[in-house]
């Protein structure tokens, strides 16, 4: 078999295209306070395994990220929120994340929660993310691709998850020690737990500035 024939046979088929729902919150959208988009900071793109998709980040995450002077966005992958369902597993959802990332101004940080952490990790193997934040990862493939450009990686998990095999596998994969937060893995979108977690993530992002 020729190399060309093998390549065609081994190539992953392009996922069925979908019109993706993307929520955006820019510093300019903050009418109550005057904060400008800081061109020296990287935008942030979020995704989650929650069926609500991008809407899950609307109540707290996007506004808080924008308050830090960063362009904030969240994507609903196929079958979530306002994005229609379409064929495809984790790879197709990672494709959705990549396609959303290329629409964001400047090189973006990818933040993934639960199954979204797996999609973000897969996406980072195709898109040169400025950073990769994995929050309580769930259903992560046993073999993850090496992130393009070797971006900094942050793993954040609830205290109840620290000894799980999945968290330890992800920690070993990237050679990092997870940070922990109090509360349940799914309790990250509102309340004191969510605010504390988000402050930790934003502080980490600020520390990555050259």
């Amino acid at each position: 078999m020729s190399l060309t024939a093998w390549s065609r046979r081994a190539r992953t088929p392009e996922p069925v295209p979908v019109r993706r729902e993307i929520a955006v919150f820019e510093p300019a959208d903050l009418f109550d306070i005057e904060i400008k988009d800081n061109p020296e900071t990287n935008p942030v793109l979020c995704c989650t395994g929650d069926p609500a998709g991008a809407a899950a980040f609307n109540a707290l995450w996007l506004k808080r990220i924008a308050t830090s002077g960063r362009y904030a966005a969240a994507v609903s992958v196929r079958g979530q929120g306002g994005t229609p369902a379409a064929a495809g597993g984790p790879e197709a959802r990672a494709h959705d994340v990549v396609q959303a990332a290329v629409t964001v101004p400047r090189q973006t940080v990818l933040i993934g929660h639960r199954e979204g952490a797996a999609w973000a990790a897969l996406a980072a193997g195709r898109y040169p993310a400025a950073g990769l934040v994995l929050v309580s990862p769930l259903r992560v493939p046993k073999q993850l691709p090496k992130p393009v450009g070797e971006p900094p990686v942050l793993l954040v998990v609830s205290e109840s998850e620290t000894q799980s095999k999945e968290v330890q596998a992800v920690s070993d994969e990237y050679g990092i020690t997870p940070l922990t937060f109090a509360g349940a893995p799914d309790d990250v979108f509102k309340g004191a737990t969510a605010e504390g977690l988000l402050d930790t993530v934003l502080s980490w992002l600020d520390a990555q500035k050259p």
Side-chain angles (χ1 to χ4, degrees):
M1 181 183 294
S2 69
L3 180 59
T4 300
W6 176 85
S7 178
R8 288 174 178 170
R9 180 177 178 180
R11 186 182 301 147
T12 302
E14 188 77 7
V16 176
V18 294
R19 189 178 186 87
R20 301 168 194 88
E21 175 187 50
I22 300 177
V24 174
F25 208 119
E26 301 183 55
D29 296 326
L30 297 165
F31 299 113
D32 50 340
I33 51 178
E34 186 176 349
I35 295 180
K36 295 182 179 180
D37 181 21
N38 185 348
E40 295 185 359
T41 62
N42 297 100
V44 174
L45 175 66
C46 306
C47 63
T48 177
D50 189 299
F57 296 96
N58 278 337
L60 174 66
W61 281 68
L62 297 188
K63 184 176 181 179
R64 180 68 70 86
I65 293 170
T67 302
S68 71
R70 297 174 184 271
Y71 178 103
V75 59
S76 296
V77 301
R78 56 194 62 212
Q80 286 185 329
T83 300
E91 292 287 346
R93 287 167 174 77
H95 174 79
D96 292 339
V97 175
V98 171
Q99 293 304 303
V102 299
T103 69
V104 175
R106 305 192 301 276
Q107 189 179 14
T108 188
V109 173
L110 299 179
I111 297 181
H113 167 248
R114 304 304 272 167
E115 290 92 339
W119 307 332
L122 291 171
R126 310 174 194 176
Y127 170 82
L132 178 62
V133 179
L134 308 177
V135 182
S136 296
L138 187 65
R139 299 190 178 94
V140 178
K142 291 183 178 180
Q143 291 187 327
L144 288 171
K146 183 177 180 180
V148 177
E150 299 185 358
V153 181
L154 173 65
L155 174 60
V156 192
V157 301
S158 70
E159 294 173 349
S160 63
E161 297 176 288
T162 54
Q163 300 303 315
S164 75
K165 292 182 179 179
E166 189 149 33
V167 167
Q168 292 186 12
V170 173
S171 179
D172 291 344
E173 179 72 29
Y174 293 107
I176 55 177
T177 300
L179 297 182
T180 61
F181 63 90
D186 294 319
D187 189 21
V188 300
F189 295 119
K190 60 182 180 180
T193 294
E195 292 180 0
L197 167 61
L198 190 47
D199 286 343
T200 297
V201 171
L202 290 173
S203 294
W204 179 84
L205 289 177
D206 287 340
Q208 307 311 310
K209 295 179 182 179

